[in-house]
Amino acid sequence: METNLFERKEFLNQPWISTNTINMFTKSEINQKTIVHINLLRATANETDSFKDFLKVLLDNSNNNLIFDLSTCTFIDSTFLSTIITFNKNYKSKVEIVVKDIRQLTIFRITKLDKIFDIYSNLDS
């Protein structure tokens, strides 16, 4: 490959995985509760900036109780989780979490986050 260093750097700085930031996070409202659907299989540090931007808009426009629906996530890293915890500290209403995966539910219990949040296994409960 006959390229100079500038061309290689430009090639490596291209976005290799383009994420659809429009559908990563959605919201709906049911019975005076705002549900934030996290439509990701893996909620990681890569998505935290988009998630924070979504939450800033939500914080300005909602006074309802809030439910984070993590039922589609199979993995949540500590950075993404800390974003939820930080948001909970700044939010004035009650925050609840829906976690479907039993492994994640165990992690929430081990880390004592079930003392901070009300955690449910589905949206109906």
Side-chain angles (χ1 to χ4, degrees), residues 26-124:
T26 56
K27 75 171 190 159
S28 61
E29 293 193 23
I30 298 174
N31 299 331
Q32 300 295 324
K33 293 187 178 185
T34 302
I35 302 170
V36 175
H37 303 278
I38 291 120
N39 304 318
L40 300 166
L41 289 176
R42 295 177 55 85
T44 63
N46 294 332
E47 293 83 26
T48 55
D49 288 337
S50 299
F51 188 52
K52 286 178 186 178
D53 293 340
F54 182 83
L55 291 177
K56 282 179 189 174
V57 172
L58 186 70
L59 188 63
D60 294 337
N61 297 330
S62 177
N63 290 327
N64 296 339
N65 290 345
L66 193 66
I67 300 172
F68 286 112
D69 181 12
L70 297 166
S71 59
T72 58
C73 296
T74 58
F75 177 80
I76 304 167
D77 76 351
S78 60
T79 306
F80 196 87
L81 194 56
S82 70
T83 303
I84 293 174
I85 294 168
T86 304
F87 179 78
N88 183 45
K89 289 179 183 177
N90 299 331
Y91 196 66
K92 295 179 180 28
S93 296
K94 186 176 181 180
V95 176
E96 303 170 340
I97 296 179
V98 175
V99 178
K100 190 175 182 181
D101 189 14
I102 194 74
R103 292 174 292 159
Q104 290 177 16
L105 192 57
T106 305
I107 291 171
F108 276 88
R109 288 188 180 134
I110 289 171
T111 57
K112 306 274 191 230
L113 288 174
D114 59 341
K115 307 289 186 212
I116 298 172
F117 302 105
D118 291 335
I119 300 175
Y120 302 100
S121 60
N122 57 35
L123 276 174
D124 296 332

